[in-house]
Amino acid sequence: MAVLFFRKIQPIIALTVAFSLLCPSNLFAASFPYKDPFMYELWYWNAIHAPSAPQEGKETIVAILDAGFDLNHEDLLNQYWKNTAEVSGDHKDNDHNGYEDDVHGWDFVDDDPDPLPDISDPQADDTIVSHGTLLAGMIAAEANNGRGVAGIAPKTKIMPLRILDSHGKGNSEDERNAIEYAVKNGADVINLSLTSTKTDVLLQKMIEWASDQGVVVVAAIGNDGLDTDKTPTYPACFDTRIGKNTVIGVAATNQEGKKADFSNDGTNCVDISAPGVNIFGLVYHDVSKLLYSTAYGSPFEGTSMAAPLVTAAVARLRSAYPTLTPNQIRLSLMLSADSTKEITSAARQRLGAGILNVNRALEVAAVFAVGGAEQRDTSHQTSASLVVAQGPGTPPLVKRLNQQGKELGSFLAYDKNFRGGVHLAMGDVNGDGVEEIVTGAGTGGGPQVRVFDIYGKLLKQFFALDPSDRHGIFVTTGDTNHDGIDEILVTQETDGNGQVRIFNQRGEMQGAFYPFGRVALPVHVAVGNMDHDSESEIVATLGGNDKTHRVRIFDANGRYIREFKALSFIKTGLRVTTMHVRGQKNDAIVIGAEKGSAPWLGVYSNLGESLYTTLVYSASYLGGVDLASGNMDRNTTDEIYTVPISKGGPHVRIFNEFTDPAGGFFPFEEKSRAGLSIAIWNP
């Protein structure tokens, strides 16, 4: 049997017990839903956007595996889980779970039903003695009782499980047994504010089993300033060994929104970050002992403090939406996270998806809760509409318009304060016969693909790349596997690696390939029928300042078919879409000039024969041409729609298959120069 000893939970700044230090920090004005007297000390409340409304929903159970708990603390007295099937003090295992008299959890260190910390040891570390109580209070301190503070999730019961001694040491056997106890006795969430650089296969399997039972496992990443990509810490890094995400790994941030100096970090084990410095909270309280004569204190620091904030968020999500799976809860947290304030992209990536945002996580979780499995209904008809959004520097507003430019509706694709621009696609990605609107965040936003119905209701969302990536993504749709349902193709906007990733609408990757090898330039793709069979092909171009002018065609599995050159007289890269042509089984390929060249548009046959070439705006305009095609007027062929990529007025121009002008309109204020993105469903 493997035995694993944990390092001391650390480094936690020595607890200050003098009430004279309990004064408002005045870091910012806070708005709390509860009136408990020391709420103003909880600076992290606003930092994680804790809900301003009291918790609603079912009661949840959070198991904390730690060094002991003050079961009589005034702010936790009513917050501990109770095993109602057990009779206290009768020395019987009434519920036959293998633990005698376990009314309030279990002490796996001393093998008894009393999970109090051991303060009899004269060498006991007082910070460790208070550690479990502090975490329990951050999660579930009783609200509006006129004492102390309130937890982030006060409608939660804490299952106290002691596995560490008064020096913060323990072994993996006790941890395994405690996890098994927690799962079998109804825990919804398990908090593990402890680390080791050694692994244990049995512990790994136990954590994987807990996740498979629907229990969410949250773990601190550790406090040694380690790069966990090189020196993994467990249990947070068990994901790298299991091969799937079963543990939510949590790093710590400071009051500036940057990595706390002590916090470990890394791209493989950290899912999300949360505040972990200058933490005020509950401490072990015993009026007969001078060292423990106060019930509250500060300052604490560590990833040990960051983890319970995430655990509390999980408890609120599970409370509001009991049917969510652990993976849906993890995604809800990651998709809703705020960006950290680290300067470089590499540093941000090492802190997971960003800083916990509980309010927004609840909003995202609501989408998962009602999403369900879509039923295919082909009786619907296309809405004959297009969508447009402005470029960087503007709110992420998406407008749906008819062919004449009349607005049919609008919605915000991302947070109202996001200014990175929105990239668009339309397609029937859920097989219901009606098009959906697919968005990708521009530069500065996370790689979130979002799927909306035509009325702007969010249906699904997922990360196409590492959640901390902020280089922006392009999105395209098309039926690449010939099943009648469109897939979502994603490429990077800037500083990418040239890869095309193909997803279904649930965010499950169906394939990936490199049309031009590993390149940093943006890759643009479109889906169309380029041969005489009924299956679609993928057409790819290089954007940016590429001067090779190559257009490459691949089958749906990324196998090369052929290439040709388009608009070879311009100085920059190319944008691409495909177009249905009157009387032709094969689609045509439509090419637009990237930024830096005059606004040329070219139409080519599936074999690369140049058919038509024209300027779509003034020759002096060098902002680039984005384009889409669709049969919105219900005739027998598509029209081509062009918009300026940047530095041009929001002018949508329409051309027929011969590139003759066929109309146009301005969907936004004519004086705007942010550029546009456009999409039309092209079934």
Side-chain angles (χ1 to χ4, degrees):
M1 177 181 64
V3 177
L4 170 64
F5 285 91
F6 293 104
R7 300 184 74 259
K8 175 181 175 181
I9 303 176
Q10 56 89 270
I12 304 171
I13 293 177
L15 175 66
T16 302
V17 297
F19 274 103
S20 61
L21 294 182
L22 303 182
C23 57
S25 61
N26 293 321
L27 289 171
F28 45 72
S31 176
F32 302 112
Y34 312 116
K35 304 301 182 184
D36 301 274
F38 296 140
M39 291 299 292
Y40 56 75
E41 289 285 349
L42 308 186
W43 73 269
Y44 58 77
W45 195 281
N46 276 14
I48 64 171
H49 300 276
S52 58
Q55 182 179 0
E56 297 180 355
K58 71 179 285 288
E59 185 176 272
T60 54
I61 300 172
V62 171
I64 302 178
L65 281 59
D66 218 276
F69 305 81
D70 184 350
L71 298 182
N72 297 309
H73 196 286
E74 63 180 17
D75 235 354
L76 288 172
L77 194 59
N78 301 313
Q79 302 301 93
Y80 285 109
W81 166 78
K82 183 176 182 180
N83 182 1
T84 57
E86 196 73 19
V87 177
S88 178
D90 69 350
H91 305 293
K92 296 180 180 179
D93 182 12
N94 305 102
D95 59 357
H96 306 291
N97 70 350
Y99 297 90
E100 183 179 292
D101 291 342
D102 59 321
V103 175
H104 291 298
W106 193 258
D107 183 337
F108 290 87
V109 178
D110 294 333
D111 197 29
D112 64 44
D114 188 1
L116 291 170
D118 181 7
I119 63 172
S120 62
D121 181 355
Q123 303 300 316
D125 186 327
D126 59 295
T127 59
I128 298 300
V129 167
S130 289
H131 197 266
T133 304
L134 173 68
L135 272 54
M138 294 176 73
I139 297 168
E142 188 173 357
N144 289 330
N145 63 349
R147 300 182 177 92
V149 298
I152 300 296
K155 196 171 183 178
T156 298
K157 296 301 183 187
I158 299 298
M159 181 186 291
L161 302 175
R162 182 175 181 243
I163 67 167
L164 303 175
D165 64 19
S166 57
H167 302 279
K169 295 181 180 180
N171 63 72
S172 59
E173 180 182 9
D174 286 346
E175 185 176 9
R176 294 197 308 268
N177 291 336
I179 291 172
E180 182 178 24
Y181 179 98
V183 174
K184 290 184 176 180
N185 286 278
D188 297 290
V189 194
I190 295 174
N191 186 92
L192 301 171
S193 286
L194 40 83
T195 64
S196 173
T197 55
K198 297 180 180 179
T199 188
D200 179 336
V201 174
L202 295 179
L203 177 58
Q204 172 186 317
K205 290 181 177 179
M206 182 62 70
I207 287 176
E208 185 176 9
W209 170 79
S211 179
D212 290 342
Q213 306 310 304
V215 178
V216 181
V217 181
V218 179
I221 196 69
N223 305 331
D224 298 297
L226 295 174
D227 177 353
T228 58
D229 295 342
K230 299 177 180 178
T231 308
T233 55
Y234 303 100
C237 290
F238 274 136
D239 291 347
T240 62
R241 301 175 64 89
I242 294 171
K244 60 181 180 180
N245 203 318
T246 54
V247 182
I248 299 176
V250 185
T253 52
N254 60 26
Q255 286 161 293
E256 297 176 349
K258 297 181 179 180
K259 185 181 86 72
D261 291 340
F262 53 79
S263 181
N264 296 346
D265 63 2
T267 60
N268 293 327
C269 306
V270 181
D271 293 293
I272 198 167
S273 298
V277 303
N278 196 25
I279 302 299
F280 173 90
L282 283 58
V283 298
Y284 181 79
H285 184 211
D286 185 339
V287 293
S288 67
K289 307 289 184 181
L290 180 61
L291 189 58
Y292 306 111
S293 60
T294 181
Y296 306 91
S298 72
F300 288 94
E301 69 175 20
T303 57
S304 286
M305 279 79 255
L309 295 180
V310 175
T311 295
V314 172
R316 290 201 70 138
L317 266 61
R318 181 55 63 84
S319 176
Y321 307 108
T323 62
L324 291 183
T325 66
N327 190 53
Q328 288 173 327
I329 288 174
R330 177 181 60 83
L331 287 174
S332 296
L333 296 172
M334 295 176 70
L335 287 165
S336 59
D338 293 323
S339 180
T340 65
K341 302 302 182 182
E342 294 291 341
I343 297 174
T344 68
S345 173
R348 292 193 295 269
Q349 290 176 13
R350 302 183 65 79
L351 293 175
I355 300 174
L356 175 68
N357 184 321
V358 186
N359 262 328
R360 197 180 300 146
L362 286 163
E363 295 173 2
V364 174
V367 177
F368 284 115
V370 302
E374 295 81 0
Q375 299 296 317
R376 187 170 184 181
D377 180 2
T378 57
S379 64
H380 297 292
Q381 299 295 322
T382 174
S383 68
S385 60
L386 60 87
V387 288
V388 291
Q390 294 193 91
T394 63
L397 181 68
V398 176
K399 289 187 177 183
R400 187 167 66 91
L401 314 167
N402 66 13
Q403 188 184 23
Q404 290 73 42
K406 179 181 178 181
E407 185 173 329
L408 305 175
S410 65
F411 62 92
L412 290 173
Y414 298 98
D415 184 270
K416 64 182 180 180
N417 296 316
F418 177 61
R419 293 295 185 271
V422 179
H423 299 300
L424 297 168
M426 296 184 81
D428 180 14
V429 299
N430 63 11
D432 65 355
V434 176
E435 70 269 40
E436 286 75 47
I437 301 166
V438 182
T439 69
T443 304
Q448 293 185 33
V449 176
R450 288 188 165 183
V451 180
F452 300 84
D453 68 16
I454 59 174
Y455 305 106
K457 177 184 177 183
L458 182 61
L459 302 177
K460 295 288 183 181
Q461 57 184 334
F462 61 89
F463 284 118
L465 301 165
D466 186 293
S468 61
D469 186 279
R470 292 295 184 273
H471 292 122
I473 54 174
F474 294 109
V475 288
T476 308
T477 63
D479 184 6
T480 60
N481 60 5
H482 199 51
D483 65 351
I485 302 174
D486 288 334
E487 281 69 53
I488 301 170
L489 291 75
V490 179
T491 60
Q492 288 175 279
E493 181 176 358
T494 61
D495 298 319
N497 60 8
Q499 187 182 51
V500 178
R501 294 187 173 189
I502 305 172
F503 299 88
N504 62 21
Q505 60 108 11
R506 293 185 296 276
E508 299 164 342
M509 194 160 73
Q510 308 297 293
F513 70 105
Y514 294 86
F516 300 95
R518 294 180 180 271
V519 295
L521 291 170
V523 174
H524 301 289
V525 293
V527 178
N529 190 347
M530 296 293 118
D531 53 28
H532 296 291
D533 63 22
S534 59
E535 297 184 2
S536 296
E537 284 72 45
I538 300 171
V539 185
T541 62
L542 280 172
N545 61 0
D546 176 66
K547 295 178 175 59
T548 64
H549 309 110
R550 291 173 293 174
V551 179
R552 286 186 170 178
I553 301 173
F554 302 81
D555 70 13
N557 295 311
R559 290 189 288 263
Y560 174 84
I561 298 175
R562 60 182 170 272
E563 74 172 50
F564 62 91
K565 291 191 175 183
L567 300 183
S568 57
F569 53 87
I570 69 173
K571 300 178 181 179
T572 57
L574 310 173
R575 297 273 176 124
V576 63
T577 191
T578 59
M579 178 178 69
H580 302 325
V581 180
R582 189 191 320 265
Q584 299 291 322
K585 184 175 182 180
N586 301 317
D587 292 337
I589 299 170
V590 186
I591 299 296
E594 268 277 22
K595 293 180 286 186
S597 291
W600 287 98
L601 179 147
V603 180
Y604 295 80
S605 73
N606 64 308
L607 297 176
E609 177 189 5
S610 178
L611 302 176
Y612 308 100
T613 304
T614 188
L615 285 168
V616 296
Y617 300 109
S618 168
S620 62
Y621 168 66
L622 304 179
V625 179
D626 196 13
L627 33 79
S629 70
N631 185 16
M632 291 181 63
D633 60 6
R634 297 292 196 268
N635 61 13
T636 57
T637 193
D638 287 356
E639 293 78 45
I640 303 168
Y641 291 73
T642 68
V643 295
I645 296 174
S646 66
K647 299 180 181 178
H651 189 185
V652 178
R653 295 200 70 188
I654 308 171
F655 300 85
N656 65 18
E657 61 184 295
F658 310 111
T659 67
D660 298 322
F665 52 84
F666 287 85
F668 294 91
E669 290 291 331
E670 292 186 31
K671 63 182 179 180
S672 172
R673 292 296 181 268
L676 293 176
S677 175
I678 186 170
I680 304 170
W681 189 29
N682 196 10

